[in-house]
């Protein structure tokens, strides 16, 4: 429809296209997953798993940064 921010199907910018169940449709920064009847529970399970992985990844980097900070502080104190 002439969107300045773009329309996407599965991450690919499109002017027009066809979407099937499981495809991701995007408008600007908003993303939606096309779900068929009976598929909703499966999609929620995948979303929960993805969210848990992202959460763990964020904590892992925070722990690495804290450890690096502690090592640098100890090295500075012992100089």
């Amino acid at each position: 429809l002439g969107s300045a921010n773009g329309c996407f199907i599965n991450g690919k910018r499109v002017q027009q296209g066809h979407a099937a169940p499981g495809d991701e449709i995007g408008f600007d920064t908003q993303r939606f997953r096309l779900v068929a009847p009976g598929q909703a529970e499966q999609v929620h399970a995948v979303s929960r798993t993805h969210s848990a992985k992202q959460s763990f990844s964020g904590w892992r980097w925070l722990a690495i940064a804290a450890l690096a900070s502690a090592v640098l502080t100890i090295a500075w104190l012992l100089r």
Side-chain angles (χ1 to χ4, degrees):
L1 298 173
S3 169
N5 297 318
C7 300
F8 303 84
I9 296 178
N10 296 325
K12 181 180 175 188
R13 189 174 182 143
V14 296
Q15 292 295 319
Q16 57 181 295
H18 298 277
D23 286 348
E24 181 184 84
I25 302 169
F27 306 101
D28 189 22
T29 60
Q30 301 298 310
R31 301 287 182 256
F32 305 91
R33 177 87 44 201
L34 185 61
V35 181
Q39 188 184 22
E41 199 53 43
Q42 179 184 5
V43 170
H44 289 302
V46 170
S47 293
R48 285 191 298 269
T49 301
H50 183 67
S51 295
K53 285 181 182 176
Q54 283 182 326
S55 178
F56 174 73
S57 177
W59 282 106
R60 181 177 51 186
W61 285 110
L62 181 61
I64 290 170
L67 180 61
S69 178
V71 168
L72 290 173
T73 301
I74 291 169
W76 182 77
L77 290 172
L78 294 176
R79 64 178 175 102

